[in-house]
Amino acid sequence: MNTRSRVRTGALAVALALLAAACTSGGVAGGVRGKPGAAGLRDPYFPKLGNGGYDVTHYALTLSYDPADGRLDGRAEITAKATQDLSAFNLDLAGLTVRRATVDGDTAAVNRAGNELTLRPRAEIADGHEFRAVITYDGEPQTITDADGSEEGWLKTADGALALGEPTGSMAWFPGNHHPSDKASYDITVTVPAGLKALSNGVLTAEKKEKDGRVTATWHTPEPMASYLAMLAIGKYDTSTATVFGKVPVLTAADPRIATETAALRARIPEILDWEKENFGPYPFSAAGAIVEPDDDVGYALETQTRPVFPLGSFDTGTVVHELAHQWYGDSVSPASWKDMWLNESFATYAEWLYEEDFEHTPAQRSFEKAFANQGAWAFPPAEPPTPQDLFGTPVYQRGAMVLHRIRQTVGDEKFFEILAGWPEKYRHSTADTEDFTRYVESVAGRDLSGLWDVWLYGDGKPEKITD
Ligand code: TRP
Ligand code: ZN
């Protein structure tokens, strides 16, 4: 909830005005005007996720982890811009112990309630001011179990840990504005015991050996990233490198026990990305790759930015096509809220259909008919999952892809492929919602498509005919 400006009257107002006038250390000029930033962004599924009153531009995370005791030591340096006069602001953080917080170098008062961390800086932050918050913290990061039973956040593995954050798990390993609408660049520095590797998103910019034998890796993500796409993979890994598009480094990694059996498909990532670029337009990031884990480590694949993570059992061509397609749809163009999740999964699923059409003699029309016949796809409209546990439901994927195929049937291939590449071009490195999408498609189609949206995107149940 957004807190309304307090109305101060009488003696209190006079006292506050005098206090403000006496205060020389950078408060809001002219008196106490600031109010606390909202504790949540009112996401329809996770109302407390994210926080109001500021926009993060950069996260610099300095972490160390020891799998032997499961403890994480962290320092998060958050550069943000105030979007209102702020007397206090919140960050999302689950578990862990906050040791100290500063804002622009001065100690800030810290309060914790549930997953909300409140920092009250010594001086108020003026609207438009860029500030730097530094939070030091430690503890054993927790695994978060979602409404649908899947596990995210911090996942311990046989030789290390995996940090995965869709939709809410990133608050288990660093404090932040954990809603996809507030994207930022990242520098992630991780120190781990000798013999282990620490992998993350983006480009490896530094690697060094500490005096005590531990190793430190620094990863740089210059493009905006939603926090749910930030990732850490700590453990023993075999890695391979390649280049795609003549310039983008590709780094793949796999647990040594499965390195050989995953090598061939890992080596195909450049060619799959080349095919996706032909269909989806320029690749949006300056790094690429994949991380493959034993099945015990994680139960699903995730499109973590630049470097998706796969369990061995899902490391197949279709899922690789899917997670790499998310780099355009979901990662570069992120959902404005979790209600817009279908915009991620519809395109990633359709990418699989297209790949099968091009390489596996299965026209997308046949995939469409198969999806239409799947009763599970009709449980709810893709743009309106009834509860958080439906965010990953079959309709989001299959019926979402059917919406795209209906667009293709309606506007024809030429305009459809213009939409496939034009959508991620228009909202590159940004966020978009369902109405942005329908408006965009209608602008390319040159006509109103409300009949299509009413039936396929928003309608309850299955249409009578596949052509409705
Ligand atoms: N978003 C992932 C994908 O489709 C899948 C995923 C992530 C998932 N977390 C999940 C699926 C939890 C089911 C449950 O690429
Ligand atoms: Zn997906």
Side-chain angles (χ1 to χ4, degrees):
M1 279 282 293
N2 214 326
T3 314
R4 284 173 176 276
S5 214
R6 280 173 223 130
V7 180
R8 298 188 175 94
T9 50
L12 180 59
V14 174
L16 287 170
L18 285 170
L19 184 66
C23 195
T24 52
S25 63
V28 177
V32 177
R33 293 206 307 260
K35 53 183 183 172
L41 291 175
R42 307 189 205 191
D43 185 278
Y45 298 86
F46 310 102
K48 292 199 138 177
L49 223 51
N51 302 284
Y54 65 94
D55 270 323
V56 178
T57 51
H58 186 71
Y59 290 91
L61 308 177
T62 309
L63 311 169
S64 68
Y65 182 69
D66 186 355
D69 61 9
R71 291 183 63 82
L72 178 75
D73 279 292
R75 177 183 188 274
E77 185 179 305
I78 299 172
T79 307
K81 194 173 178 163
T83 56
Q84 64 173 68
D85 293 332
L86 279 174
S87 58
F89 62 93
N90 277 19
L91 296 161
D92 302 313
L93 181 67
L96 304 168
T97 302
V98 173
R99 299 290 173 186
R100 180 171 147 78
T102 63
V103 174
D104 289 339
D106 287 331
T107 300
V110 171
N111 187 58
R112 298 208 55 189
N115 297 334
E116 297 293 333
L117 165 67
T118 304
L119 300 192
R120 184 170 292 274
R122 171 118 55 93
E124 292 197 0
I125 303 168
D127 187 8
H129 177 72
E130 183 171 274
F131 62 97
R132 187 159 302 171
V134 177
I135 299 99
T136 48
Y137 58 98
D138 56 51
E140 269 195 69
Q142 43 180 269
T143 303
I144 293 174
T145 303
D146 293 333
D148 67 358
S150 51
E151 296 193 324
E152 54 158 339
W154 196 265
L155 309 174
K156 285 194 184 187
T157 62
D159 54 7
L162 263 181
L164 297 175
E166 188 182 36
T168 69
S170 290
M171 65 167 103
W173 59 285
F174 65 98
N177 198 16
H178 288 303
H179 189 268
S181 58
D182 189 2
K183 299 169 46 153
S185 57
Y186 283 71
D187 282 295
I188 301 180
T189 297
V190 196
T191 302
V192 294
L196 300 185
K197 288 195 171 100
L199 309 175
S200 187
N201 316 84
V203 178
L204 181 66
T205 53
E207 239 181 335
K208 71 167 184 191
K209 212 171 173 138
E210 306 291 339
K211 288 190 205 79
D212 61 11
R214 291 188 301 164
V215 289
T216 298
T218 299
W219 298 88
H220 180 58
T221 296
E223 300 90 5
M225 176 162 75
S227 77
Y228 80 93
L229 298 167
M231 166 277 291
L232 271 188
I234 295 169
K236 296 197 178 92
Y237 289 100
D238 281 4
T239 57
S240 310
T241 55
T243 303
V244 65
F245 314 128
K247 57 172 191 287
V248 174
V250 181
L251 172 69
T252 70
D255 184 289
R257 290 167 290 171
I258 58 173
T260 308
E261 66 189 286
T262 59
L265 183 51
R266 286 194 280 138
R268 289 188 52 219
I269 285 176
E271 91 193 38
I272 292 170
L273 284 171
D274 265 325
W275 172 82
E276 295 196 336
K277 183 188 175 202
E278 290 302 308
N279 288 290
F280 311 152
Y283 181 68
F285 302 120
S286 50
I291 297 175
V292 193
E293 296 285 331
D295 283 329
D296 288 346
D297 291 354
V298 56
Y300 51 84
L302 188 62
E303 64 266 26
T304 42
Q305 191 156 307
T306 69
R307 203 158 288 123
V309 171
F310 303 80
L312 179 63
S314 304
F315 194 58
D316 50 58
T317 305
T319 310
V320 171
V321 166
H322 179 113
E323 305 307 337
L324 295 180
H326 273 309
Q327 304 304 311
W328 283 259
Y329 312 105
D331 293 12
S332 174
V333 183
S334 307
S337 87
W338 287 110
K339 198 179 168 75
D340 306 303
M341 173 76 163
W342 80 279
L343 287 172
N344 292 10
E345 302 305 343
S346 60
F347 280 104
T349 303
Y350 204 79
E352 295 180 64
W353 293 7
L354 273 183
Y355 190 90
E356 289 162 14
E357 175 165 290
D358 281 2
F359 299 106
E360 295 169 10
H361 313 288
T362 309
Q365 175 66 21
R366 205 181 310 154
S367 302
F368 171 69
E369 287 163 12
K370 208 174 131 199
F372 189 82
N374 176 359
Q375 275 314 120
W378 300 102
F380 56 83
E384 290 168 342
T387 71
Q389 89 193 56
D390 299 310
L391 281 176
F392 300 102
T394 308
V396 173
Y397 289 72
Q398 297 295 319
R399 195 171 156 186
M402 282 190 267
V403 172
L404 297 182
H405 195 72
R406 284 297 293 147
I407 294 170
R408 185 178 178 183
Q409 291 175 330
T410 307
V411 305
D413 271 14
E414 196 179 320
K415 283 194 169 165
F416 179 70
F417 283 93
E418 187 184 329
I419 290 165
L420 270 192
W423 171 250
E425 183 187 2
K426 183 169 166 79
Y427 289 94
R428 184 179 169 91
H429 296 160
S430 179
T431 58
D433 66 18
T434 301
E435 282 68 44
D436 293 325
F437 177 75
T438 53
R439 205 180 318 117
Y440 172 72
V441 172
E442 290 184 345
S443 77
V444 176
R447 61 181 160 123
D448 173 83
L449 295 171
S450 49
L452 197 165
W453 313 135
D454 287 350
V455 174
W456 293 84
L457 190 51
Y458 298 114
D460 279 321
K462 188 172 176 172
E464 298 258 304
K465 292 195 301 277
I466 196 164
T467 49
D468 275 348

